[in-house]
Amino acid sequence: MGSYCGSCLCGTVKFKVSGDFDSFYVCHCRYCQKGTGSTFAANLFSPAGSLLWLSGEDAVTCFTLPGTAHRKSFCRHCGSAMPGVEDSGEVLVPAGSLDTDIVIKPTANIYKASCAQWEADITAAPGFATLPES
Ligand SMILES: [Zn+2]
Ligand SMILES: [Zn+2]
């Protein structure tokens, strides 16, 4: 069984997930665009996993969009996306919150119909290892 650790950007929240991930969804819906400020959210799902807060549990805030099942947990100090337990009991883990490497590859892109109009142009833009030199 896998064991994965993660944390928020400011370091207040630390967590551990015990269990295996069976899916890794990249979601391009408008809710995830708003919630991340980017083109998609990348979330891992562990149906039989368990979530343990190692620190900062009281800093974790959960927002549910009224009238929808869209929910986002985040650190109230730094805004980082944090794990949560879905109504189904599955543990949802934002991939970028993990400090442990994962082997699972993204299983599907969902809500592609809602893609940001500029998403397809990202890979065409020049890349730099860090900041471009000025
Ligand atoms: Zn934080
Ligand atoms: Zn979404």
Side-chain angles (χ1 to χ4, degrees):
M1 188 174 70
S3 178
Y4 303 89
C5 288
S7 57
C8 68
L9 183 58
C10 76
T12 301
V13 184
K14 296 191 188 326
F15 63 87
K16 184 171 127 176
V17 173
S18 301
D20 296 313
F21 296 117
D22 77 334
S23 48
F24 182 2
Y25 290 126
V26 178
C27 184
H28 304 256
C29 83
R30 285 294 290 150
Y31 303 156
C32 289
Q33 289 176 36
K34 292 286 185 188
T36 61
S38 187
T39 60
F40 56 75
N43 291 314
L44 296 149
F45 292 86
S46 181
S50 59
L51 170 62
L52 176 70
W53 299 109
L54 302 175
S55 71
E57 180 176 4
D58 59 351
V60 179
T61 301
C62 186
F63 169 75
T64 302
L65 186 63
T68 76
H70 182 79
R71 187 186 299 169
K72 183 185 176 184
S73 293
F74 57 96
C75 169
R76 66 182 163 87
H77 299 297
C78 67
S80 300
M82 290 283 98
V85 179
E86 301 286 274
D87 291 339
S88 61
E90 279 188 300
V91 178
L92 176 158
V93 182
S97 70
L98 287 175
D99 298 312
T100 305
D101 288 339
I102 51 174
V103 291
I104 186 172
K105 304 279 187 246
T107 40
N109 284 282
I110 59 175
Y111 286 93
K112 287 281 283 180
S114 306
C115 271
Q117 133 274 329
W118 49 273
E119 186 178 310
D121 302 316
I122 296 172
T123 51
F128 300 88
T130 58
L131 278 177
E133 287 177 30
S134 53

